[in-house]
């Protein structure tokens, strides 16, 4: 079952609720985008259809089976509201001086389509808070190299305080590299195909060496959606915000 981050996948144009999963079902990476009502998890017509299909859904978790436009069947978890008081209870647990470092990296199928990127993370528990990225271990994850399963190396580049887990916990931005070559004493091989930071870093260092003062600009535009309403966070639940 895949988790759902920004609303239900059901109800997009060309999508219909699927029959029970079969053994040869093929999951897809990107869920179809719904047109959700702002006060319900699913549009009324989709919700009614899901009720009819409820006997097909596993009893151990809440999910919805959908058939995508491509004709592939998949399952997506229905959002469950988080008990904030329970979350605060766990966040308040004594970590006894240890620190959770959430390594964040960009993963990609760059060799297959040239533009598909995923923002990923996983955590490691450290005995002490690091003073700099040099104190952090080089880590890895199971990824792909030119379409073949391979270990991908994550090199820490920047540390930020974790605004979600708070305390002394940190978020670590990393970039990715190919695994070390056999018989060579090295932490990693060259950068992965989608690691554009490595090339940028070498250009900036060269410019500094030549007496230049390089600048690097980055513009980001994004918005967060409520998992239950598919409506932007902070907006009125029954309409649009006033003039700014």
């Amino acid at each position: 079952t895949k988790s759902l981050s920004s609303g239900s996948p059901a109800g997009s144009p060309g999508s219909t609720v699927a029959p029970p999963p079969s053994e040869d079902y093929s999951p897809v990476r990107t869920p179809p985008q719904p047109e959700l009502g702002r006060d319900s998890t699913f549009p009324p017509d989709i919700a009614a259809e899901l009720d009819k299909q409820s006997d097909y859904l596993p009893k151990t978790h809440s999910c919805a089976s959908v058939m995508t436009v491509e004709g592939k069947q998949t399952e997506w978890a229905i959002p469950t509201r988080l008990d904030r008081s329970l979350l605060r209870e766990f966040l308040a647990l004594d970590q006894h001086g240890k620190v959770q470092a959430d390594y964040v990296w960009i993963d990609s199928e760059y060799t297959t389509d040239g533009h598909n990127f995923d923002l990923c993370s996983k955590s490691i528990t450290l005995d002490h808070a690091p003073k700099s990225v040099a104190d952090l271990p080089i880590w890895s994850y199971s990824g792909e190299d030119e379409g073949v399963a391979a270990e991908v190396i994550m090199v820490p580049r920047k540390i930020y305080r974790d605004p979600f887990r708070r305390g002394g916990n940190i978020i670590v931005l990393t970039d990715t590299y190919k695994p070390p070559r056999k018989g060579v004493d090295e932490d990693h091989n060259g950068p992965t195909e989608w690691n554009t930071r490595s090339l940028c870093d070498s250009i900036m260092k060269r410019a500094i060496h030549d007496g230049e003062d390089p600048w690097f600009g980055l513009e980001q535009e994004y918005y967060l959606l409520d998992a239950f309403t598919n409506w932007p966070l902070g907006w009125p639940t029954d309409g649009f915000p006033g003039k700014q």
Side-chain angles (χ1 to χ4, degrees):
T1 301
K2 296 190 176 183
S3 60
L4 181 65
S5 59
S6 59
S8 157
S12 66
S15 297
T16 58
V17 176
S22 60
E23 294 182 357
D24 59 349
Y25 104 102
S26 299
V28 294
R29 292 181 61 85
T30 305
Q33 296 302 309
E35 294 293 338
L36 286 181
R38 293 190 291 277
D39 53 2
S40 62
T41 303
F42 296 106
D45 57 332
I46 298 299
E49 189 64 32
L50 288 174
D51 288 340
K52 297 177 183 178
Q53 302 262 345
S54 60
D55 290 341
Y56 301 142
L57 303 182
K59 304 305 180 184
T60 56
H61 60 278
S62 297
C63 67
S65 296
V66 298
M67 186 70 75
T68 67
V69 177
E70 296 84 0
K72 297 180 180 179
Q73 184 172 300
T74 187
E75 288 186 351
W76 299 91
I78 297 175
T80 301
R81 191 175 297 278
L82 182 67
D83 185 339
R84 293 177 180 269
S85 62
L86 185 62
L87 174 63
R88 286 192 293 269
E89 180 179 341
F90 281 100
L91 288 176
L93 291 175
D94 188 354
Q95 296 185 195
H96 302 287
K98 296 183 182 295
V99 171
Q100 293 184 47
D102 196 30
Y103 278 45
V104 178
W105 74 93
I106 293 177
D107 193 15
S108 176
E109 291 184 355
Y110 192 83
T111 54
T112 59
D113 64 13
H115 56 75
N116 180 38
F117 297 91
D118 298 314
L119 187 64
C120 310
S121 73
K122 69 175 186 176
S123 295
I124 185 173
T125 301
L126 307 173
D127 290 333
H128 306 285
K131 295 181 179 179
S132 69
V133 292
D135 298 329
L136 291 167
I138 292 177
W139 207 9
S140 66
Y141 69 94
S142 299
E144 291 186 1
D145 182 16
E146 298 181 353
V148 179
E151 181 184 40
V152 179
I153 308 300
M154 296 182 293
V155 178
R157 297 302 184 184
K158 187 71 175 180
I159 298 175
Y160 293 94
R161 294 179 62 183
D162 192 331
F164 306 106
R165 290 180 290 194
R166 304 183 182 182
N169 300 312
I170 57 176
I171 289 177
V172 181
L173 301 187
T174 71
D175 61 350
T176 56
Y177 293 83
K178 298 178 180 180
R181 293 166 291 180
K182 293 183 178 180
V184 179
D185 184 17
E186 58 185 4
D187 292 328
H188 55 78
N189 199 349
T192 56
E193 288 80 1
W194 59 91
N195 180 0
T196 56
R197 180 194 182 279
S198 179
L199 177 60
C200 178
D201 184 54
S202 64
I203 293 175
M204 295 294 180
K205 289 179 178 178
R206 191 184 316 147
I208 293 174
H209 180 269
D210 294 341
E212 301 291 340
D213 182 21
W215 286 22
F216 183 82
L218 178 65
E219 180 179 350
Q220 297 185 23
E221 295 183 4
Y222 61 92
Y223 56 92
L224 302 178
L225 297 180
D226 187 295
F228 293 91
T229 65
N230 205 34
W231 205 239
L233 289 177
W235 281 30
T237 57
D238 58 350
F240 296 88
K243 295 182 179 180
Q244 302 296 313

